[in-house]
Amino acid sequence: MATVITSECINCGACEPECPNTAIYQGGVEWQAPDGSMHPGISNDIFYIVPEKCTECVGFYDHEACAAVCPVDCCIPDPNRPESEAALLQRARELHPDKTIPDDAPSRFRKEGAEPAPAASDAKPALAAAPAAAPAPPPPAVEASGLGIPDPDDWEIPIVCFRCSGEYAVAFRYFRAGVVFYCPHCNGSFVPTLSMVRGVEAALARFHGRWTKAFETFQERRRRELEQFEERQRAELEGFSAELRTIATREKPPGAPTKPRGFFTF
């Protein structure tokens, strides 16, 4: 199914440059078909997506690029135009005859790089495989810390309204240059600059790098300490087992045969 922009669109324009098929146009603007012909705009008030040019980013991304940058989540699949992955892939090839788009190209229908599941009719019996070697024992488990931080794209970026000084926040995935945000307190607008976005992005990268490195170092140290502790406990267990055996075999139990003493004549 093609993607459609709903009436919640705020005309920020963030989606238009993200489309790999140039299928998104501003309201009232004519759209151009692949053959060069021009057609009237589908919408006069808000940005719109041309269904004949939309592939839901199949062939380019494993997600819909317009939906990923939309600050109000108004780019959604059109329930009135259901289309298969194969149909969208074919359209991508028709729209881009100069590009080679393979069957396993990125697609939101499956994870990037994963092979699509074969149809039941195409399934073939697998040959008997040789027994696999026993896997190596896993390393000692290290207890994970409950202290976590969000993914950089989900990090809430604070915004202070210049009009009312009210504060609100948006996820970094939507914090892009040129995107218009509206204050929930007074409806005042705010538009991030490119330098502002790059500054926030660099700060997030530095912080996440330090945070991740600190936890990796800590967990590696704990893993080594746990291995050393288990080795000491294993040696102690072996020593105790030997001690227990010595105690249990020190004296003969009642009724056990004994070696005769002295001289006997028959």
Side-chain angles (χ1 to χ4, degrees):
M1 57 186 71
T3 305
V4 63
I5 299 177
T6 66
S7 58
E8 284 77 15
C9 174
I10 58 175
N11 282 318
C12 68
C15 58
E16 182 181 10
E18 300 296 327
C19 180
N21 304 314
T22 61
I24 302 178
Y25 295 82
Q26 188 173 2
V29 176
E30 293 183 331
W31 64 274
Q32 185 178 24
D35 61 4
S37 59
M38 303 301 296
H39 301 268
I42 297 176
S43 173
N44 293 322
D45 302 320
I46 60 176
F47 279 81
Y48 65 89
I49 299 176
V50 179
E52 292 80 5
K53 299 177 69 175
C54 177
T55 65
E56 299 181 50
C57 292
V58 169
F60 297 92
Y61 309 115
D62 61 357
H63 60 277
E64 294 170 280
C66 58
V69 300
C70 180
V72 291
D73 296 329
C74 68
C75 298
I76 62 173
D78 187 352
N80 298 321
R81 296 181 65 93
E83 294 180 293
S84 66
E85 180 187 23
L88 295 171
L89 192 61
Q90 179 60 30
R91 180 178 300 154
R93 290 166 176 160
E94 294 173 354
L95 291 172
H96 302 274
D98 58 325
K99 299 181 182 296
T100 300
I101 302 178
D103 292 337
D104 60 349
S107 167
R108 75 171 187 84
F109 289 84
R110 60 184 185 276
K111 292 181 180 179
E112 183 174 1
E115 292 293 335
S121 59
D122 297 334
K124 298 181 180 179
L127 297 177
V142 178
E143 181 182 358
S145 171
L147 184 61
I149 57 175
D151 184 82
D153 281 344
D154 296 327
W155 201 283
E156 294 290 323
I157 308 303
I159 297 176
V160 179
C161 179
F162 74 94
R163 178 184 295 178
C164 69
S165 298
E167 296 187 12
Y168 58 102
V170 297
F172 181 66
R173 69 175 71 243
Y174 306 130
F175 195 76
R176 296 293 181 266
V179 176
V180 182
F181 299 103
Y182 292 95
C183 174
H185 310 291
C186 69
N187 207 35
S189 61
F190 172 83
V191 182
T193 63
L194 182 59
S195 60
M196 185 184 302
V197 173
R198 288 178 174 173
V200 172
E201 184 177 26
L204 284 173
R206 289 194 301 269
F207 177 77
H208 273 257
R210 294 196 306 268
W211 183 276
T212 302
K213 182 63 177 179
F215 268 86
E216 288 177 349
T217 302
F218 171 73
Q219 292 187 353
E220 177 62 22
R221 184 172 66 250
R222 289 190 62 184
R223 185 187 64 79
R224 291 195 303 267
E225 292 175 351
L226 181 59
E227 288 179 346
Q228 294 170 0
F229 173 78
E230 288 187 345
E231 186 62 29
R232 291 194 301 268
Q233 294 304 105
R234 189 177 296 109
E236 183 174 349
L237 179 60
E238 292 175 354
F240 177 70
S241 297
E243 179 186 355
L244 196 62
R245 178 180 178 82
T246 300
I247 296 173
T249 58
R250 181 182 301 164
E251 298 181 4
K252 295 185 180 297
T258 58
K259 185 176 182 180
R261 297 178 180 179
F263 296 94
F264 295 89
T265 58
F266 297 94

